[in-house]
Structure formats: C-alpha cells, structure tokens
Amino acid sequence: MAVCVAVIAKENYPLYIRSVPTENELKFHYMVHTSLDVVDEKISAMGKALVDQRELYLGLLYPTEDYKVYGYVTNSRVKFVMVVDSSNTALRDNEIRSMFRKLHNSYTDVMCNPFYNPGDRIQSRTFDSMVTSMMIQVC
Amino acid sequence: MESIKCELPLPRFMMSKTDGEIRFGNPAELHGTKVQIPYLITEKNTFKRMDDEDKQQETQSPTMSPLASPPSSPPHYQRVPLSHGYSKLRSSTEQMHPAPYEARQPLVQPEGASSGGPGAKPPRHQASLIRSFSVEREPQDNNSNYLDEPWRITEEQREYYVNQFRSLQPDPSSFISGSVAKNFFTKSKLSIPELSYIWELSDADCDGALTLPEFCAAFHLIVARKNGYPLPEGLPPTLQPEYLQAAFPKPKWECALFDSYSESTPANQQPRDLSRMEKLSIKDMADFPVPTQDVTGDDKQALKSTVDEALPKDMSEDPATPKDSNNLKARPRSRSYSSTSIEEAMKRGEDPPTPPPRPQKTHSRASSLDLNKVFQPSVPATKSGLLPPPPALPPRPCPSQSEQASEAELHSQLNRAPSQAAESSPTKKDIPYSQPPSKPIRRKFRPENQATENQEPSPTVGGPAVATVKPHPTVQKQSSRQKKAIQTAIRKNKEANAVLARLNSELQQQLKEVHQERIALENQLEQLRPVTVL
C-alpha cells in the first residue's frame, strides 16, 4: 500500500499528487520531486536503446530510512512515482508492478475523456477512487 | 430537452415542470431567438454561483424577486449553470419581458412562488438546453419518472436523444467521436469538470467515443444535472449501456432503418441497419457465391455498407477491423467489415425482423405482391423469414393443393402483415379457397379493404389481379402471385449477388495490395537488419 502516489507530466510538473493525509505531505512532495532526477537518470541510461525497448517499470528508485520510492514511466514520458513505507515488507515487486499497471490503465481512461486536456490536473473521480484503493488506510 | 426536463423533475421540480410546460409551449421561439446569443456571452455558469444562488433563494421567500436585479446581474437561480438563452422563451410563455435577462426574472418569480427554490434551475436549464438543442417537446407529467428515479429514460427522452445522436452521427449503430461529443455537450453550458465527470460515468468502455446507449446516458445525465439533480457517484443501473440497449432495441433499429435508407455511410463502414440486414440477409442466404467482379474503390464502401447491412444485427458486434477503416477508432466494438461480414452472413441464416416502412412489418421480398398479405396474419410464419415461404411456393400451384397453396401464398406473401391479424385467418382463407368462387369474392373484398386501410401499394397490384382471378379458380391467383413473388425474390437475389461479387473483387484487390506491401516491408527489414547488428 502506497503512502504517496504522484503522476508527473512530461515537463516534470505534477498532474496528480496524493499522499496519506496524516503525514507531513510536504515531505512526500519533496521526495517525489527529488525522485524525478533518478527517473531521468534511468531513462537516459538506456543510451541507444529505443524507447520501446525500455521497460516501463523502473523499479526502486532510491530507498530512504523510512520509505522506498518506486518509479514507472510511460512511453509518452509521463511518470508515475509511488512512495511506500519501508516497514511494509510484505510488499513485493510484483505487487508494485501491478499497482503501476492499474495506475497506467486509469491514466489511460482519463486520457480518453475528451473533456480532459492533456496537461491539466487530473480530477477524475474514477482515478481518485482507484488511487484511494491503493493507498494505506490510515485509521 | 424541454420535455426531458419536464420528465425528470423530482417533486421539488414540480414547479419547474410547470414552467417547463409553459416553456415547451413555445419551443419555436427558442429557435429563432437571437436573444440567446447574448445569453451565451453573458452567461456564467459556476457551481459556486449556484451555491450562492441556492442560498439566496432558500433564504428568500418563495416569492422572492431575484429578478429585480438588472439583467446583467448574475443569475440567482439555484444551480443554474445554464445560460439564460431560454429566458426569451420563458418570457413569452410567462408574458415576461422579452429581454433575455429580464425574462429570467419573471420566470424565477413564478418558480419561486410555486416551490420557492429548487425549481428555478430547471427552467433555466431547459431554456439553455432548448437553445442549444432546439427541441420541441410536449411537457408531460411523468409521475412515473420521479416515482421510479430520475435516471430512467422515458420513451420520449430516448427518442430525443436518438435524434440528437443522429444529428451528430447519421449511423445510429456507430460512435460519436470524443471531440464531436465534447463540442456538443459543451453547448449544454455545464462546467467542464462536470462534463468530464459525466463522460466518465457514461463512457463505460472508456474508449473515448460514445455509442448510442452511452450517448443517451450522457445526455440524460446532462439533462438531469441541468435540472438540478446531483450527479450520481456511479452510473445508475438504468443508464447502463446494456440496460439501455435492451430496453430500447426497437427504436435503435428503426433509427438504423431510417438512416440506412436515407444515408449511406461510406465513411463509417458500419451501417448495421437492421432493415437492410433483413432484406439482404435473405438474399445472402439464398445465393451467396459471389462472382468476382471489378469494383472501383468508391463503390467498395457502398458495397461494404450494403453487405454490412445485410448482415444480421449480431454481426455488428464483431470486432473485425477494416482495412480501410474510417475515422472511427479501432475498438472491440468496431463493426464488422465486409470480409468478416460475408462470412458471418453465410453462417447466419437469421432473418431479423424487417422494419422498413416503419408502421408495417413488411418483408422486403414480395411485399408488393399479395393482397392477402396485407391482412394475412400468418405473421409469425412470415416473420420467421422469407426463406421458408419461397421454397414452398413452387410445388404448390395445383388445384388439388389449392388449400395448401393458399396457405403458402398467404404465408409467403404476408411479409408485410403489420397487423397481426389472427393466425386463424389463413385457415379461414383456406376454407374459402377450397370453396366455390363465392368465397374468393369475399376474400377479394377483404384484401382490398385492408389494403386501403394499410395504404400499401401492393393492394393495387393485387387488386386487379384478384379481380381478374376472381371468377377463376383460386389456383391461378395463387400461381400468379407466387410467380411474382418468385420473380421478385430472384431479382433481389441477383442484385445481392452482384453487390457481393463486386465487394469480393474489391476486397481481393485490397488483399493483393496488402500482400505486396508486406513483401516490401519484409524486404526493408532484411536490408536494415544487418545495419543494426553492431
């Protein structure tokens, strides 16, 4: 279960960012922001490889004491960043991948909406509910 | 839209309903009114305002007069994200000032008086909607509507939605693209986030396009929203595409029918008009071998469309992807294309009900032939398909089998029997046939009467035939009719044959081209491959 989920546009501004409310959200925003560098590093590390040869799932971007940050980039350079609690050891890589897949699917559905202008903040309720299902339920 | 509004309102909208009624009374005014334009310009739809207005209205007395404010003042209607274009209409109906803004006010007053609040918005919504959609509807008290729920689409509403759909997309079985729908729904003056949410709800398969049921659901949600209903969290069950498709299959067909007749949709390649399907399905069934003929590219689509039409309705669900797909996006729901459709048509001997001239359930074949068929009830037999009857005809024309022949004739030529006269009528006919000429006379009168009632052209043909045959044994009548039926069927089958043959040749040409392209691409690949190996 994620602690913070963010969707970053190609130009590296957030389209959607949502964290568990009890925490200091600014901290998460900062983590997401710094993770963008890592994402760019991983993307450019491909070198000559074509875009479609690059896997969308980037894996663990960097771990901190309390949290781990995972990344995922789409072919249109839209980045999904997810922060999970380090103490949540039960979370396996496959689960993270499936969560990103769900994010990607929901994002595609948002794109299909003709009233959505690419580059706008994502305000879709469906997307919201999907992200909520992925976030930790804070009692 | 107006009628829709009227139908939608819940109890609190009752007042609006009356307003709507008044409004509907003058739908014509909406169309031509130029006042609407300024409304559009000056309109400001914001939820916030709505909230404020709500508060204002709620706090005020029912007879409040927000109207007192000058026309340019922001609308004080509750939840009125709509423009005031309506005002003109309302004004006329309510004998208010013709000025658009002022009209609003008078409208609000009566509304306020009646319900003191919530009702205000429906009129406005309706006005704006009317303006944008220009629909005239009779106000109807749909008690059933708000007894059930506001999310149930009535027949009238559905008809209206379908008409609007057709204005955007002639083929009712095809999609409305996202941009077209966006432009259209933007006219409703709802805010973009709301429209976005409505789209989310109604586009069930998230493909960025709206089919007819999806469109109806979206339209209904918009109407409801304009009437002040809060948008639901999820798509209500009565607005689900499956439900809508099941609930209103016939209008869909009818629409399809009209569309098919009126417009060819070469660009779409997806005319799944049932009427054509029914007609051609028979032909397809009868003779499917398609001789190869050359067809021009232009004809191809036309042929495809006809072939597609010939296919049973179920084929429309095929995911076949056309090579020369139109602007429609490739989707699982994309309509089948000629290649697959042909196969499908071959597989399916189904003969869906024919809805050609809408009031009559006529069958394409031999529809003009028999008088009897006008009133011949053996509708079930005929409805099941023209196929069964035709084969039965040839062996019949025998005096000894007059009775059977008459039955067959009735059955086969009963394509049109719109009225489901009793099936016992064929039996009745049989009896007269077998009896002396006096009976045929009686029958002759009957067909003539019914023919005139039904206003079918066939009676005229059958009439003289009947008259001439009258003194003769019924067998001759039957045989002549049968011959005509057979000839008509033959002619139609030949036409279908030709169409399919041309289509086939066209497709084969395409196939060849594609093969060549493939070969060329493979060659390129081979050439490039060594380069990439470093």
Side-chain angles (χ1 to χ4, degrees):
Chain A
M1 294 292 113
V3 170
C4 170
V5 172
V7 178
I8 316 289
K10 187 164 83 166
E11 293 81 13
N12 287 338
Y13 63 88
L15 296 176
Y16 180 89
I17 182 159
R18 177 130 164 246
S19 347
V20 168
T22 56
E23 301 282 345
N24 181 2
E25 299 194 27
L26 192 58
K27 179 177 64 180
F28 291 128
H29 290 209
Y30 182 70
M31 287 176 72
V32 168
H33 186 73
T34 55
S35 68
L36 292 180
D37 275 338
V38 186
V39 170
D40 281 341
E41 209 182 292
K42 289 200 180 258
I43 296 178
S44 58
M46 293 297 175
K48 282 158 75 170
L50 299 176
V51 173
D52 33 285
Q53 290 182 7
R54 172 175 57 79
E55 200 185 280
L56 303 181
Y57 176 69
L58 299 177
L60 182 66
L61 296 179
Y62 69 91
T64 63
E65 273 184 14
D66 305 322
Y67 302 102
K68 294 188 212 162
V69 183
Y70 291 87
Y72 181 100
V73 184
T74 70
N75 287 328
S76 55
R77 294 278 195 268
V78 173
K79 308 161 185 74
F80 300 108
V81 176
M82 189 186 314
V83 180
V84 301
D85 205 318
S86 286
S87 56
N88 194 349
T89 52
L91 222 47
R92 292 193 316 272
D93 197 55
N94 280 342
E95 292 174 15
I96 306 280
R97 280 180 195 264
S98 69
M99 285 160 82
F100 275 125
R101 212 172 302 126
K102 281 197 326 191
L103 266 174
H104 197 172
N105 287 337
S106 297
Y107 177 73
T108 314
D109 289 342
V110 169
M111 277 292 161
C112 283
N113 189 331
F115 297 101
Y116 173 78
N117 298 316
D120 289 351
R121 300 194 66 90
I122 295 178
Q123 284 154 337
S124 150
R125 294 189 212 182
T126 319
F127 192 83
D128 269 345
S129 58
M130 190 274 307
V131 169
T132 310
S133 70
M134 285 173 35
M135 313 247 315
I136 291 182
Q137 303 303 321
V138 180
C139 303
Chain B
M1 292 308 296
E2 294 168 324
S3 62
I4 294 172
K5 309 289 175 77
C6 284
E7 297 157 357
L8 286 182
L10 289 177
R12 58 185 173 163
F13 295 147
M14 279 312 294
M15 65 169 105
S16 61
K17 196 195 291 188
T18 54
D19 292 335
E21 291 178 356
I22 297 173
R23 254 180 275 133
F24 293 160
N26 307 290
E29 298 180 2
L30 281 181
H31 297 285
T33 181
K34 298 181 183 148
V35 178
Q36 298 173 355
I37 297 175
Y39 293 144
L40 288 171
I41 298 172
T42 57
E43 180 190 23
K44 313 165 197 173
N45 297 334
T46 60
F47 289 111
K48 232 184 203 181
R49 180 182 312 153
M50 274 185 357
D51 294 337
D52 294 338
E53 292 166 3
D54 286 339
K55 288 179 201 162
Q56 290 173 11
Q57 287 193 339
E58 286 164 11
T59 52
Q60 295 173 6
S61 66
T63 54
M64 69 169 178
S65 56
L67 329 168
S69 61
S72 57
S73 67
H76 346 271
Y77 312 105
Q78 306 165 352
R79 308 180 235 198
V80 177
L82 302 177
S83 56
H84 330 309
Y86 224 5
S87 59
K88 176 152 192 186
L89 180 61
R90 293 198 221 151
S91 60
S92 60
T93 57
E94 303 177 354
Q95 301 178 351
M96 295 300 211
H97 311 285
Y101 299 95
E102 295 172 347
R104 278 190 302 159
Q105 299 174 354
L107 185 56
V108 173
Q109 279 171 350
E111 295 172 7
S114 53
S115 67
K121 72 180 144 113
R124 293 190 219 114
H125 295 289
Q126 295 177 354
S128 59
L129 282 178
I130 294 176
R131 177 157 46 87
S132 42
F133 302 115
S134 63
V135 172
E136 298 184 18
R137 288 195 167 234
E138 289 299 326
Q140 288 183 6
D141 186 357
N142 299 334
N143 287 327
S144 62
N145 270 6
Y146 63 90
L147 282 184
D148 295 349
E149 57 189 23
W151 311 120
R152 200 168 289 272
I153 299 183
T154 67
E155 192 60 40
E156 273 195 8
Q157 289 175 333
R158 177 161 188 113
E159 217 177 289
Y160 175 65
Y161 299 151
V162 170
N163 287 337
Q164 290 296 319
F165 183 98
R166 278 212 234 114
S167 73
L168 298 174
Q169 165 63 276
D171 180 5
S173 59
S174 180
F175 320 120
I176 288 187
S177 74
S179 50
V180 169
K182 174 179 177 178
N183 292 336
F184 181 74
F185 288 134
T186 310
K187 289 192 222 161
S188 70
K189 299 300 171 203
L190 285 179
S191 69
I192 296 294
E194 280 198 336
L195 288 170
S196 177
Y197 182 57
I198 287 176
W199 178 280
E200 247 182 76
L201 290 177
S202 55
D203 191 5
D205 49 7
C206 291
D207 55 3
L210 295 181
T211 62
L212 184 59
E214 289 176 342
F215 177 84
C216 290
F219 212 138
H220 197 75
L221 286 169
I222 287 181
V223 167
R225 187 77 193 94
K226 294 213 135 190
N227 275 300
Y229 285 83
L231 289 176
E233 291 301 313
L235 194 63
T238 51
L239 289 183
Q240 299 280 350
E242 304 79 19
Y243 175 91
L244 287 177
Q245 263 182 346
F248 300 93
K250 189 169 179 188
K252 223 179 152 185
W253 289 345
E254 290 173 346
C255 299
L257 190 144
F258 287 133
D259 288 343
S260 66
Y261 286 137
S262 57
E263 305 169 82
S264 65
T265 59
N268 274 338
Q269 295 188 3
Q270 300 183 355
R272 300 273 168 328
D273 307 320
L274 292 182
S275 59
R276 288 188 192 168
M277 282 165 23
E278 296 168 13
K279 269 193 197 172
L280 296 182
S281 64
I282 297 167
K283 300 174 194 171
D284 291 343
M285 309 312 297
D287 41 5
F288 212 91
V290 179
T292 57
Q293 297 177 12
D294 290 340
V295 181
T296 66
D298 296 337
D299 298 338
K300 179 180 179 184
Q301 289 187 351
L303 293 177
K304 268 193 179 181
S305 61
T306 52
V307 170
D308 289 345
E309 294 162 359
L311 301 176
K313 180 186 179 188
D314 298 352
M315 296 190 48
S316 62
E317 303 307 322
D318 295 340
T321 54
K323 281 185 287 194
D324 43 351
S325 65
N326 42 28
N327 48 4
L328 294 177
K329 307 154 198 174
R331 265 187 201 99
R333 308 159 62 134
S334 68
R335 304 311 177 190
S336 59
Y337 286 84
S338 50
S339 56
T340 52
S341 61
I342 292 176
E343 297 163 13
E344 296 280 344
M346 294 179 70
K347 290 176 199 169
R348 299 184 150 259
E350 227 176 355
D351 187 11
T354 5
R358 201 197 255 186
Q360 300 160 0
K361 301 239 172 115
T362 65
H363 292 271
S364 57
R365 194 179 72 83
S367 60
S368 63
L369 287 189
D370 197 3
L371 289 181
N372 291 341
K373 70 178 153 182
V374 171
F375 55 90
Q376 287 304 331
S378 50
V379 170
T382 52
K383 266 187 171 181
S384 61
L386 298 178
L387 291 181
L393 286 180
R396 299 282 171 91
C398 288
S400 59
Q401 300 174 353
S402 63
E403 187 167 341
Q404 298 169 359
S406 65
E407 266 183 327
E409 178 188 15
L410 296 176
H411 286 285
S412 61
Q413 293 164 348
L414 255 193
N415 308 343
R416 328 180 103 170
S419 54
Q420 285 51 23
E423 296 165 24
S424 57
S425 64
T427 56
K428 288 182 198 166
K429 300 251 171 102
D430 295 339
I431 297 171
Y433 273 130
S434 58
Q435 291 180 5
S438 61
K439 294 299 175 117
I441 294 175
R442 188 202 319 170
R443 185 181 304 139
K444 166 198 154 192
F445 285 128
R446 236 189 295 164
E448 287 171 359
N449 292 340
Q450 294 192 353
T452 53
E453 287 171 358
N454 294 330
Q455 300 175 352
E456 292 183 355
S458 61
T460 58
V461 173
V466 174
T468 55
V469 173
K470 176 175 145 187
H472 301 281
T474 57
V475 174
Q476 291 185 4
K477 193 163 49 162
Q478 297 167 4
S479 62
S480 70
R481 288 182 188 162
Q482 290 168 2
K483 280 184 195 166
K484 286 183 194 169
I486 293 171
Q487 286 166 4
T488 312
I490 290 174
R491 185 175 64 247
K492 291 189 180 170
N493 285 337
K494 282 186 183 168
E495 290 167 10
N497 245 357
V499 163
L500 291 170
R502 282 178 298 185
L503 187 57
N504 190 17
S505 65
E506 182 70 19
L507 290 171
Q508 286 183 356
Q509 283 180 357
Q510 277 195 350
L511 184 63
K512 284 182 200 164
E513 291 166 12
V514 170
H515 276 313
Q516 288 169 1
E517 286 177 16
R518 183 188 162 193
I519 293 171
L521 287 170
E522 283 177 359
N523 286 340
Q524 284 183 5
L525 190 62
E526 287 297 329
Q527 291 168 8
L528 292 171
R529 206 167 272 173
V531 174
T532 57
V533 176
L534 296 174

